[in-house]
Every structure is written in structure tokens, then in C-alpha cells.
Amino acid sequence: MDLSVTELWTLAFVILTFGAYLYIGYTNRVRDTKGFFVAGQGVPPVFNGMATAADWMSAASFISMAGLISFMGYDGAVYLMGWTGGYVLLALLLAPYLRKFGKFTVPDFVGDRYYSQTARIVAAICAVFVSLTYVAGQMRGVGVVFSRFLGVSITGGVLIGMTVVAFFAVLGGMKGITWTQVAQYSVLIVAFLIPSVAISQKLTGNPIPQLSFTFSDITAKLNQIQVDLGFTEYTAPFQNKTQLDVLCITLALMVGTAGLPHVIVRFYTVPSVRAARYSAGWALLFIALLYTTAPALAAFARYNLIDSLHETPIEEARSMEWVSSWEATGLLGLDDKNGDGRLQLSPNAELNEIQIDRDIIVLSTPEVAGLAPWVIALVAAGGLAAALSTAAGLMLVISSSLSHDIYAKLIHPGASERERLFVGRVMIFLAVCVAGYFGIHPPGFVAEVVAFAFGLAAASFFPVILLGIFDKRTNREGAIAGMLVGIGFTSFYIIGNRFFGMDAFLFGISAQGIGTVGMLLNLVTTLVVSRWTPAPPLEVQEMVESVRVPRGAGEASAH
Amino acid sequence: MPEPKHPDEPGQTDGADLSNSQRKAYWSKNRRLIGVLLTIWALVSYGFAILIPMDFEVGRLPANFWWAQQGAMFVFVILIFVYAWRMDAIDREFDVHEEGE
């Protein structure tokens, strides 16, 4: 097989990084359930921040988000603010108290706080469902990167990715996953920043994307070009979505982020309450490094693409190497419809001669900016790191929900430590297999399902945990009623709207944003029902008092 | 200085040796701090970025757009560190900080 220079570099980077992940996984193998589920609660806050950032930023954040923003303009901010603002809620309202509580999973807290096995099971099922919907997209991402950059089939790529994840996750559990994620964060952030800095330098002469985005005239020029071509201004708000919908989606994504089990569980792994608070700050700092760069990259790449393709003779465009190679993948489509020999970009689909898939924006930037082949290879390795790290974190949640919350707490409460660890390893292996299956045979409705995952997290976990800490009077009856109403309403609206063509009857709020309403309904229901029914038992009220005060959390790690 | 507590004694390692009124005072200080910080959180994201129209520029970007795609995220990061830092002081004031921290 003949490999191009880029493919050789990609192969080298993939072997190098995968080798590092395997080595880290092997050196961090664990022998007890505490190491397996919460990394022995010994992860320092800065490193937990990096691991959280890698856990959080998926193949979608790395590959698709900048592209999405570049097509949405201002309205793309729903993802930027929505996927970062949740960390403020997490840091102030949830993480420190859950760390003090100090068990292994989110269903642990729900089950203990609401003294109810039913609540624990509902929470465990939600956690598995939410994580499964997410993981499907990740393994697919691995396969796509492999096939695009190395010519391996998607199935082959997924199988390689599965083997690597299975190795460090089964051996090392949360501990192996955490330290691998630290390495994966380093790879993905370098891979994202190098091309962004390069294109910023090339277009504006200023290498720092955040500064050149704010202070250069590129965005102003982009606005002008857009208007000239018949689009609306890039920076004009509410072009794709109404103001109310932008508000609701942002809030639903924020609250959903704070309620996602694979994010919450990361804060069980630090040594203390204080470490949990700082760790959330580090996590958001590391995330913001990519998230504040992405909108700059989005605007620069859009400007650059229009600038190099619009009104360019089609033959000249095709002679550029990146144009011909991306046209070959089908993600860039050129079609001289009016036969004038030149390309025109237009908002009118019948006149438009340049079709750009949004996934190109990040992946093609190094080529468009004329960077060396090793940078392109690095971006491929970064995409893989983003996908694998998120997949591993999600698998741990699936495994811990099944083996800890359902097997060890319900099916076989007397299970020994060894037995529980064994079941944990088996479950994580099964989770890898299921994820791989979805990677090879992706369900056709991933986008709908992801909206559902956030809506569900927003309408179920967030209110239940929040009130569990901040309202001592909230009891079992209230929490269960609240979860049922929140989940019921959100599911009804999303399923009806996305699958059965129901109108978005609530002021046109979209399926993505309806989690906000589901959350509010949950909060109101829980508060009202709790006031009508008996107060929680005294020991539960004492537990709430105890999680509100930091001292005593470190003690758990001494065991 | 209170006597160091043995870690296995129930009820004392979790700060339960606070009097009820001190417990309430600690919790209300925490809640007040959270209230202030979340007000700023809502103001920069829902206010400056979405609801309040602004017709001036930050650098060379329209202000609403800058808050939505840059400014709000910077403020989020700062808010979390401010919370962690202020809580350090409040924990010490009520002597509920963790051993060795």
C-alpha cells in the first residue's frame, strides 16, 4: 500500500499516542472497587480538570462545533455558552456537596437522599440511557477519522478504537481512564490550537485567535461579504432561531451539562471538597481554551473559504490540492451551475455552486492555511483523542450504574469486593462492545437522541440533586413525582416533535430547548408535592446537613 | 483551638460539632455568595449576550455578539475561581475547612 507523507505522519502519531494511552492504562491498573469507580479519590484538582475537559469535549466539540458555528453565526453561541455555563452551576450548586457525600455514582446519591430503591433504579436507568446515546456518536467519530486519514475502513477503525479503550478501561477503571484522559487532553488541545493560531496569524498577523477575533477587521469584512452575497450579517442575532428559543436552548444545555452523570462523577475522584471546587474551575479553564478559540476559527475559516473559492474560476479552484482532495471525499461540492466557468456562493440553493460540509471547517484548516503535513496528522490524532476520552468516561458510567447501582445494591447486596470488581470489569467490557456496535451500525437518529439526552439530564438529574442539597424538606414522594413529570413532559414533547411531526406548540420552543421547561416543571412539582407529604426521616435530614459542610470528606480516601 | 478529632468518631468528622446557629450562619453566607455569583452568571449570558440589545462594539465586534461568543465564557471561568477562593475564607472563618487543606 502506498502511503502519502500525510498518511505516514498520521500513522506515526496514531501509533505514538495509542501506545502512550495503553502504557498509561497498564501502569494505572487497579485492584479494588474504589480505584475502579472513583480512581481511589486521589486525583489532584488540576489533573482532574484536564481529565474532565477531555471527558467533556467529544468528537463533536473537536470536529463539528467550529463548523456548526461558522454556518450559524451569532446563533452558534447557544453551544458555546450552553456547554460552558453549566460548569458554573456544577461548581457552585452540585460538585462540592456530592464530593462530600462521597459515594461512587449519581444514582447512589439519589437512592440515599430519597431513601428509595425506586428512585435509585430510575436514576440508574436514566444514567445508562443518557450515556449510551452519547457513546454511539463517539465510536463513529473514531471510525470516520481512521477512514478519512488512514484509508482504513470505518469498521476497522472502530475495532481498533474499541480494543484500545477496552484495554485501559477494563484494567484501570476510573483510574486508568483519568490518567489516559489527561494525556488525551494534551493531545487534543495542541492539535486544536496549532492550526487555529496559524490561520489567525495568516489572516490577521496576530497569532492569538481570541485577540485577533475581537480586534481585527476580519469579522467586519465577513459581514460585508455576507451582505454582498445576499446572506445576513454573520454577527446578526436570531437568524436561525427565535430569541426565546436561543434562551431556552442555552439554559437547557447548561442545566443538562451540570446534570450529566459522566461529568458529575468526575468530581467524586478528587481528594477533598475544596479540591472539587477548584477542579471545576480548572476544568472550565481547559475547556474554555478550546471553546473561545472555536468561534474565532469559525469566522476565520468561513472568511478564508469564501475568499479563496467565491468568483474563482472552477479550474483554478480544482488545481488547489486541498480543494481536490476534499471534493473527492464528497464533503466539498463544486458545481458550475450557470456555466460561467466561475464559482459563486449564494444563499439561494438553486444558484449556489459551492456546497461545504460543516465537518470540513476544522479538519481542512491546516491544509487551507498551507501547514505542514505533520500538523494535519496531529489534527487527526486530536480528533481521535477527543472521541476516545469521551467514550471511556461514558463507559465507566454505564458500567458503574449496572454493576454498582443495580447488581451490587439490588440483585446481590452481599457481593464481595472481588466479585463487585469482577462484575465492574465485565460490564465495562460489554459497554465497549455495545458502543462499538453502534459505531459500526449507527442509529439514524443520533442528533435527535442527543437533544433527548440533554433534555433528560436537565429535567431529571439536575433538579433532584439541587433540591436534595438545598431544600431539606424535599422528600421521596416529591422527588419521584418531580422526576416523572419532568421526564414525562420532556419525552412527550421531544418524541412528538421529532418523530411524529407534532408542532412545537409551546411558543415554538424547539426540542433542544424544551429541557428548560421540563426542569421548571420538575422543580415546581417536587417542591409542591414535598410540602403535602411527610418530611424526610431524621437521618436523611442529618445527611443533608452533613454534605453542606466540607470537613470530613478527606477521611474517605484514607481507607 | 479545638482538640483534633479522631477521624472515626461519628458526627464529629463531618463538622457536626458546629452549633445550630453557626451552621445556619455558615450556610446562609454560602448561599448569599452563590446568589451574587449566579446573578452575574445570568447577567453576562442571558442579559448581555441575549436579552439586552447593545449598539456599541467591543474591539471591532458588536457587543452582544462578543458577549455571546467570547465574554460570557471568560466570566464563567472567573466566577468559579472566585467562588472557590471566597469559600476558602468562609470555611476557615467557621472552622469547617478540611484537615491538611
Side-chain angles (χ1 to χ4, degrees):
Chain A
M1 160 166 105
D2 267 334
L3 289 175
S4 69
V5 182
T6 309
E7 282 173 330
L8 277 175
W9 274 109
T10 310
L11 197 61
F13 274 123
V14 168
I15 292 175
L16 201 71
T17 52
F18 279 33
Y21 306 153
L22 292 176
Y23 174 78
I24 294 169
Y26 181 73
T27 51
N28 286 290
R29 61 199 184 280
V30 291
R31 290 192 183 77
D32 57 4
T33 50
K34 190 163 167 169
F36 193 82
F37 290 125
V38 291
Q41 297 177 328
V43 184
V46 178
F47 291 108
N48 188 54
M50 289 171 93
T52 309
D55 205 327
W56 179 234
M57 292 190 286
S58 58
S61 287
F62 187 89
I63 298 173
S64 308
M65 193 179 66
L68 205 57
I69 297 166
S70 140
F71 285 82
M72 292 171 73
Y74 166 93
D75 295 358
V78 295
Y79 300 111
L80 295 169
M81 292 194 293
W83 287 337
T84 55
Y87 280 84
V88 180
L89 299 174
L90 196 62
L92 274 53
L93 301 174
L94 311 180
Y97 315 105
L98 290 173
R99 174 59 193 84
K100 174 64 191 294
F101 172 68
K103 295 269 181 75
F104 288 173
T105 66
V106 174
D108 260 340
F109 178 81
V110 176
D112 286 8
R113 170 63 180 85
Y114 297 111
Y115 42 101
S116 157
Q117 294 293 29
T118 315
R120 185 190 300 272
I121 298 170
V122 172
I125 293 172
C126 279
V128 170
F129 178 81
V130 167
S131 304
L132 267 181
T133 57
Y134 243 81
V135 101
Q138 302 309 316
M139 292 319 267
R140 187 73 183 170
V142 172
V144 168
V145 173
F146 264 103
S147 73
R148 197 171 299 164
F149 289 92
L150 282 173
V152 181
S153 70
I154 289 192
T155 308
V158 170
L159 289 176
I160 298 171
M162 277 171 66
T163 313
V164 174
V165 175
F167 182 83
F168 65 73
V170 171
L171 268 188
M174 190 55 146
K175 193 173 170 213
I177 289 172
T178 301
W179 292 106
T180 316
Q181 283 172 335
V182 170
Q184 285 162 333
Y185 176 76
S186 317
V187 173
L188 82 87
I189 198 68
V190 170
F192 197 85
L193 291 183
I194 289 183
S196 307
V197 166
I199 196 167
S200 168
Q201 170 75 36
K202 185 182 168 202
L203 291 183
T204 68
N206 181 340
I208 299 169
Q210 288 82 355
L211 291 180
S212 56
F213 183 43
T214 306
F215 295 105
S216 79
D217 59 352
I218 291 291
T219 314
K221 279 193 200 158
L222 179 59
N223 275 343
Q224 191 55 50
I225 297 179
Q226 298 244 111
V227 172
D228 291 346
L229 293 181
F231 293 90
T232 51
E233 284 192 348
Y234 185 76
T235 55
F238 319 127
Q239 298 302 311
N240 306 296
K241 302 174 187 307
T242 63
Q243 186 175 31
L244 177 67
D245 207 20
V246 166
L247 193 82
C248 284
I249 295 174
T250 307
L251 185 56
L253 293 180
M254 284 184 183
V255 174
T257 303
L260 282 175
H262 73 288
V263 176
I264 293 178
V265 81
R266 289 239 47 101
F267 295 92
Y268 284 95
T269 68
V270 292
S272 64
V273 170
R274 181 171 183 267
R277 293 185 194 129
Y278 279 98
S279 189
W282 289 114
L284 188 58
L285 180 70
F286 292 133
I287 292 167
L289 212 51
L290 190 147
Y291 271 59
T292 54
T293 306
L297 179 60
F300 294 161
R302 185 171 179 83
Y303 173 82
N304 199 39
L305 273 173
I306 297 178
D307 190 50
S308 38
L309 293 180
H310 183 69
E311 286 298 338
T312 305
I314 188 159
E315 294 314 318
E316 188 189 322
R318 285 204 169 118
S319 69
M320 293 187 253
E321 199 188 322
W322 65 269
V323 172
S324 57
S325 64
W326 283 103
E327 202 181 3
T329 64
L331 295 177
L332 182 66
L334 305 178
D335 179 11
D336 185 18
K337 287 176 184 158
N338 60 7
D340 67 353
R342 288 170 182 273
L343 295 165
Q344 280 97 23
L345 187 69
S346 159
N348 181 339
E350 293 190 358
L351 302 176
N352 184 29
E353 301 178 345
I354 309 171
Q355 296 284 352
I356 307 167
D357 185 281
R358 62 173 198 232
D359 284 355
I360 286 188
I361 298 288
V362 168
L363 295 176
S364 73
T365 302
E367 296 163 285
V368 175
L371 298 182
W374 66 266
V375 180
I376 303 165
L378 188 63
V379 171
L384 289 172
L388 288 179
S389 56
T390 307
L394 292 163
M395 283 168 200
L396 191 97
V397 169
I398 298 171
S399 157
S400 63
S401 298
L402 295 175
S403 62
H404 177 77
D405 296 314
I406 294 186
Y407 178 79
K409 292 274 176 177
L410 291 174
I411 298 176
H412 189 187
S416 71
E417 169 81 9
R418 268 190 61 186
E419 218 177 326
R420 279 157 47 205
L421 185 60
F422 177 74
V423 176
R425 292 198 208 270
V426 171
M427 288 303 171
I428 213 162
F429 183 75
L430 289 180
V432 174
C433 296
V434 172
Y437 175 83
F438 282 129
I440 297 166
H441 305 282
F445 42 83
V446 170
E448 282 78 3
V449 174
V450 169
F452 201 50
F454 272 94
L456 214 57
S460 61
F461 287 126
F462 181 78
V464 162
I465 303 174
L466 179 76
L467 291 179
I469 297 160
F470 283 80
D471 180 46
K472 240 194 307 181
R473 187 65 178 76
T474 293
N475 61 12
R476 173 180 60 198
E477 291 78 5
I480 293 176
M483 282 208 277
L484 289 178
V485 170
I487 295 170
F489 171 79
T490 311
S491 319
F492 163 74
Y493 196 91
I494 295 180
I495 294 174
N497 180 250
R498 288 290 174 104
F499 296 101
F500 296 101
M502 182 181 84
D503 275 345
F505 60 83
L506 213 68
F507 313 110
I509 297 173
S510 62
Q512 277 182 302
I514 203 66
T516 299
V517 182
M519 174 198 66
L520 293 174
L521 286 176
N522 181 334
L523 281 175
V524 171
T525 310
T526 308
L527 286 171
V528 170
V529 172
S530 293
R531 261 68 187 173
W532 282 348
T533 44
L538 218 56
E539 65 267 23
V540 169
Q541 301 194 28
E542 274 166 17
M543 178 196 131
V544 177
E545 287 291 354
S546 151
V547 301
R548 290 177 175 181
V549 178
R551 182 167 294 170
E555 166 249 11
S557 60
H559 288 266
Chain B
M1 281 294 285
E3 287 281 312
K5 302 292 188 310
H6 188 270
D8 287 332
E9 267 178 67
Q12 299 197 320
T13 51
D14 65 350
D17 48 345
L18 278 175
S19 75
N20 254 343
S21 61
Q22 268 188 307
R23 206 182 262 288
K24 279 205 174 107
Y26 171 74
W27 189 241
S28 77
K29 270 206 165 174
N30 180 17
R31 280 201 322 206
R32 207 171 314 136
L33 178 60
I34 293 173
V36 171
L37 296 178
L38 285 187
T39 307
I40 300 172
W41 166 83
L43 188 69
V44 296
S45 51
Y46 304 110
F48 295 170
I50 300 176
L51 292 174
I52 305 169
M54 300 180 185
D55 52 1
F56 54 93
E57 294 195 332
V58 175
R60 305 204 46 179
L61 296 175
N64 288 119
F65 179 84
W66 183 82
W67 278 106
Q69 299 212 344
Q70 296 279 299
M73 290 185 281
F74 296 137
V75 176
F76 294 160
V77 176
I78 295 167
L79 288 176
I80 299 183
F81 280 110
V82 167
Y83 178 68
W85 168 66
R86 289 299 306 144
M87 282 310 284
D88 280 351
I90 296 178
D91 284 352
R92 283 186 183 279
E93 183 189 331
F94 286 86
D95 192 34
V96 294
H97 56 283
E98 293 149 293
E99 314 294 332
E101 292 281 342

